[in-house]
Amino acid sequence: MKKFIKTIAASALVFVGFFAFNASNTTTASAATKSDFTSIYKVAKSHLGARYVYGATGPSAFDCSGFTSYIYKKGASVTLPRTAQAQYNAYKHVSYKNIKKGDLVFFGGSAYSISHVGMYIGKGKMIDAQNRGVVREAVHAPWWHAVGYARVNTSNANTANDAD
């Protein structure tokens, strides 16, 4: 019984800590400048066709959040958190009608179970790393459940989430 109570208490502390950390780690919504997006997209395009490997962060293979982290770091000197869930939690959310090129697009079961991320490139499309490798595809493809969209602040390059 003591073990069960300790497990419940530990779970509660992790849960509270998760939300406290993420509440203090939110940045403002400032869209990537056109030149930032151009640089980030140029890096992303240069990796089209790279293979997907779970946990990979580049440059020859990526998982989804490894890809978004890599392209923002190389294209705009911005350090993103490592996982899709952490990226979702770290940035100010925007609605789909207000999405801009360079915004992150998140997929999963809910805001608490983000399983995929890509970068919006305009005209309803994104570039992402998935089981087919790095590809361009529709944001609202039937196999994805879009959960939300977030704007990365590129004006404070390399300072937003360096602790992650």
Side-chain angles (χ1 to χ4, degrees), residues 100-117:
K100 296 181 188 258
K101 292 177 180 179
D103 287 348
L104 298 177
V105 182
F106 297 94
F107 305 88
S110 75
Y112 304 105
S113 63
I114 301 297
S115 58
H116 188 69
V117 60

Side-chain angles (χ1 to χ4, degrees), residues 2 14 19 42 55 101 106 112-113 118 123 136 140 143-144:
K2 284 183 181 181
V14 168
F19 285 102
K42 183 177 180 182
K101 292 177 180 179
F106 297 94
Y112 304 105
S113 63
K123 298 182 181 174
R136 281 188 211 116
H140 293 115
W143 48 87
W144 294 122

Side-chain angles (χ1 to χ4, degrees), residues 12 18 31 33 35 46 75 80 83-84 95 101 114 133 136 146 163:
F18 173 80
T33 66
S35 65
S46 74
L80 299 179
T83 67
S95 65
K101 292 177 180 179
I114 301 297
R136 281 188 211 116

Side-chain angles (χ1 to χ4, degrees), residues 74-150:
K74 296 296 182 184
S77 298
V78 174
T79 302
L80 299 179
R82 175 58 189 96
T83 67
Q85 184 71 58
Q87 290 176 11
Y88 178 84
N89 294 339
Y91 297 104
K92 177 125 173 117
H93 298 166
V94 296
S95 65
Y96 184 71
K97 76 175 192 172
N98 292 318
I99 197 168
K100 296 181 188 258
K101 292 177 180 179
D103 287 348
L104 298 177
V105 182
F106 297 94
F107 305 88
S110 75
Y112 304 105
S113 63
I114 301 297
S115 58
H116 188 69
V117 60
M119 183 185 72
Y120 187 71
I121 60 173
K123 298 182 181 174
K125 300 220 180 262
M126 68 175 174
I127 189 166
D128 64 321
Q130 48 146 293
N131 61 351
R132 295 181 291 142
V134 176
V135 296
R136 281 188 211 116
E137 67 178 332
V139 168
H140 293 115
W143 48 87
W144 294 122
H145 176 253
V147 173
Y149 317 92

